[in-house]
Amino acid sequence: MSTSWQPHRRALVLFSGGQDSTTCLAWALARYGYVETIGFDYGQRHRVELDCRTTLRLRLAAQRDDWALRLGDDHLLSVDVLGQLGASAMTDDIAIATQADGLPNTFVPGRNLLFFTLAAALAYRRGLDVLVGGMSQTDYSGYPDCRDNTLKALQVALSLGIDRPLTLETPLMWLNKADTWELAQQLGGPALVELVRTETHTCYLNQRDTLHTWGYGCGTCPACVLRAQGHRQWCA
Ligand code: ZN
């Protein structure tokens, strides 16, 4: 993966406040001349994630002067419509389980397609030409809208749809969770790893009572299990 410095490009990072999108934000700040962030409130159960965003942006900017200079505005969009489309363990108080089609019921159909479409609309308004998302095909939960081909097709559709070349970058696409911890280490050293560990939120069940070696969370939901496994693997 190239980390070449592209001072003239202006990026918009899909930034939820989780481990993956925080690492992507650091990646974008190290790579592009100007970076804005966008988040989505869709009534997700792990809303505590959204509360982490402001702190994370401030603390990231405090880590390096050049990152502070490049970090631009934040945008939080309400997309209640996702909750209206039907029950998911991500938005409703139902147990996390596997559906008949093999996908976990945390899958919100079309979510990433919608997020990137809204991000493209905002990028058009703000004069931004790169969209950055933390999707991964390696460690992913089977969500079809995290796949590389889905996002490559979407890049073409969005660029045609707004008649401007947009690049969709997914720096974590071929990384596992251990690699993602390593990427944070490479981008910002121990200070960034510690920020990711203590200030990002991943737990589907919203728990932030106990600080584990890998961060806060219940330790048993699928998101916590993935995060903890990756951290153990990275430390080994
Ligand atoms: Zn959890």
Side-chain angles (χ1 to χ4, degrees):
M1 180 179 58
S2 163
T3 50
S4 58
W5 168 230
Q6 299 178 22
H8 304 300
R9 302 206 73 181
R10 296 162 52 86
L12 179 61
V13 178
L14 276 63
F15 179 53
S16 66
Q19 174 185 0
D20 293 345
S21 68
T22 301
T23 306
C24 284
L25 178 52
W27 179 87
L29 288 168
R31 187 182 176 96
Y32 302 113
Y34 179 73
V35 179
E36 296 191 0
T37 51
I38 183 171
F40 302 96
D41 185 349
Y42 58 99
Q44 56 267 60
R45 281 163 73 187
H46 54 310
R47 300 174 59 78
V48 64
E49 200 181 50
L50 294 178
D51 302 331
C52 296
R53 297 173 75 256
T54 310
T55 308
L56 281 164
R57 280 175 42 92
L58 287 170
R59 300 264 313 263
L60 272 172
Q63 293 209 342
R64 292 181 53 142
D65 290 344
D66 50 350
W67 290 5
L69 285 172
R70 292 169 204 158
L71 183 59
D73 291 350
D74 181 42
H75 312 268
L76 185 63
L77 266 56
S78 165
V79 279
D80 299 347
V81 65
L82 278 177
Q84 293 169 11
L85 286 171
S88 145
M90 207 66 118
T91 49
D92 291 23
D93 189 14
I94 52 179
I96 297 170
T98 304
Q99 303 174 158
D101 61 3
L103 284 172
N105 64 350
T106 46
F107 178 53
V108 181
R111 180 178 57 167
N112 287 325
L113 304 179
L114 179 63
F115 286 0
F116 268 116
T117 302
L118 292 170
L122 185 72
Y124 181 94
R125 294 277 184 222
R126 305 282 302 172
L128 310 170
D129 63 339
V130 186
L131 305 180
V132 182
M135 297 77 198
S136 170
Q137 188 162 334
T138 308
D139 242 3
Y140 79 139
S141 317
Y143 299 160
D145 57 348
C146 288
R147 288 185 298 206
D148 195 44
N149 276 347
T150 304
L151 299 176
K152 287 214 162 65
L154 193 57
Q155 171 177 278
V156 175
L158 292 174
S159 296
L160 287 169
I162 64 169
D163 200 20
R164 279 186 200 172
L166 266 181
T167 308
L168 267 61
E169 288 284 2
T170 50
L172 311 185
M173 183 56 73
W174 307 109
L175 306 187
N176 62 29
K177 285 284 180 192
D179 299 330
T180 303
W181 286 106
E182 177 58 26
L183 179 59
Q185 171 75 28
Q186 286 169 12
L187 289 165
L192 181 58
V193 171
E194 187 59 10
L195 181 66
V196 169
R197 188 178 84 92
T198 56
E199 297 292 347
T200 67
H201 184 85
T202 304
C203 178
Y204 283 154
L205 303 181
N206 248 350
Q207 288 196 19
R208 284 189 75 75
D209 304 330
T210 312
L211 180 60
H212 307 271
T213 51
W214 44 269
Y216 289 100
C218 71
T220 53
C221 78
C224 280
V225 168
L226 256 188
R227 178 169 168 147
Q229 272 173 0
H231 191 264
R232 252 196 318 276
Q233 219 182 347
W234 177 61
C235 290

